[in-house]
C-alpha cells in the first residue's frame, strides 16, 4: 500500500494486478485485490470496462460480495445496461437485512422495469411489494393506480382510487 498516498493510481492498480497474477495467493487475498483494482479503475481512472471485469471476478470468488454488486450497479447505471442492472439489484435484494434498503431496492426495480425495460407487470409487482409494507404511502398508491389504469385493470384501479380518497380525507382531517 505504499502507493496509496500518491496520485499514481494507474501504477497502484498495475501493482495490485501483478500481485493478483501470482498463483500462490489465496482466494481471499485475490478477492480483496480484485475489489481494490475495481475501485481504483472506477473511481480514479474512470475505466468502467476494467472495473467491471474486476468486480465480476470478485463476485466469482464470493457470490454475495456487496461491494462488487453495488459497484456493478453503479457501472450498469452509468452505461445504461438495464438488464444487467436489474440482475445486480435482484442479486442484492435477498442479501439485504435492512428493511429500508430492501424497500429502496424494490422501488428501484419497479422504476427500472417501468421506465427502461417496458415491463409494466414486473413494475406493478415490485410497487405492490412496497405498498404491502407501506399501505398508506400516497405517492406509491397513486403510482400503482396509474399503472393499473394503463393496464386497464379496472378492479385494482378502482380499489386504489378508493384508497387514495380515503388517504386524502384522513390527511385533510388531520390538517383541520
Amino acid at each position: 500500500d505504499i502507493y496509496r498516498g500518491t496520485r499514481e493510481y494507474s501504477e497502484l492498480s498495475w501493482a495490485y494486478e501483478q500481485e493478483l497474477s501470482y498463483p500462490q495467493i489465496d482466494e481471499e487475498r485475490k478477492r480483496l485485490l480484485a475489489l481494490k483494482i475495481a475501485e481504483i479503475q472506477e473511481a480514479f481512472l474512470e475505466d468502467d470496462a476494467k472495473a467491471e471485469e474486476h468486480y465480476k471476478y470478485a463476485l466469482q470468488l464470493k457470490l454475495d460480495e456487496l461491494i462488487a454488486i453495488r459497484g456493478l450497479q453503479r457501472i450498469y447505471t452509468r452505461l445504461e445496461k438495464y438488464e444487467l442492472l436489474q440482475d445486480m439489484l435482484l442479486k442484492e435484494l435477498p442479501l439485504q437485512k435492512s428493511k429500508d434498503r430492501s424497500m429502496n431496492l424494490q422501488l428501484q426495480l419497479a422504476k427500472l422495469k417501468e421506465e427502461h425495460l417496458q415491463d409494466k407487470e414486473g413494475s406493478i409487482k415490485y410497487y405492490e411489494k412496497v405498498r404491502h409494507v407501506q399501505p398508506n404511502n400516497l405517492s406509491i398508491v397513486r403510482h400503482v393506480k396509474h399503472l393499473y389504469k394503463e393496464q386497464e385493470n379496472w378492479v385494482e384501479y378502482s380499489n386504489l382510487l378508493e384508497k387514495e380518497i380515503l388517504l386524502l380525507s384522513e390527511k385533510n382531517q388531520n390538517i383541520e
Side-chain angles (χ1 to χ4, degrees), residues 37-39 41-43 46-56 67-82 84-85 88:
I37 295 165
E39 289 172 340
Q41 293 295 330
E42 180 187 7
E46 299 178 357
D47 186 341
D48 284 337
K50 204 162 193 176
E52 178 185 16
E53 172 190 336
H54 285 88
Y55 281 134
K56 283 181 172 180
I67 294 170
I69 292 169
R70 289 182 181 160
L72 289 168
Q73 288 172 4
R74 288 188 303 272
I75 290 170
Y76 296 149
T77 299
R78 270 194 305 279
L79 299 178
E80 299 178 357
K81 292 183 174 182
Y82 298 119
L84 294 172
L85 174 57
M88 288 301 109

Side-chain angles (χ1 to χ4, degrees), residues 6 8 11 18 21 26 30 77 103 109 115 117 122-123 145 148-149 151-153 168 172-173:
T6 71
E8 300 295 331
E11 192 171 340
Q18 297 310 303
S21 70
D26 65 59
K30 285 181 182 181
T77 299
M103 287 295 102
L109 281 162
E115 296 170 8
L117 300 176
S123 179
K145 180 190 76 167
Y148 280 131
K149 184 177 182 180
Q151 299 290 96
E152 297 182 3
N153 183 337
L168 287 171
N172 287 337
Q173 286 176 358

Side-chain angles (χ1 to χ4, degrees), residues 96-110:
Q96 264 320 310
K97 292 173 179 55
S98 162
K99 244 186 177 177
D100 289 341
R101 178 69 181 155
S102 180
M103 287 295 102
N104 186 311
L105 288 168
Q106 291 184 39
L107 281 173
Q108 282 181 270
L109 281 162

Side-chain angles (χ1 to χ4, degrees), residues 7-41:
R7 290 282 175 201
E8 300 295 331
Y9 293 111
S10 182
E11 192 171 340
L12 178 60
S13 181
W14 176 84
Y16 287 151
E17 287 184 54
Q18 297 310 303
E19 184 180 349
L20 186 59
S21 70
Y22 290 144
Q24 64 268 27
I25 63 172
D26 65 59
E27 288 210 349
E28 178 63 11
R29 180 68 183 157
K30 285 181 182 181
R31 183 183 63 79
L32 292 174
L33 287 168
L35 289 172
K36 286 180 180 187
I37 295 165
E39 289 172 340
I40 290 169
Q41 293 295 330

Side-chain angles (χ1 to χ4, degrees), residues 52-68:
E52 178 185 16
E53 172 190 336
H54 285 88
Y55 281 134
K56 283 181 172 180
Y57 182 64
L59 210 49
Q60 286 176 354
L61 297 172
K62 186 178 178 204
L63 297 176
D64 62 350
E65 179 57 65
L66 278 175
I67 294 170

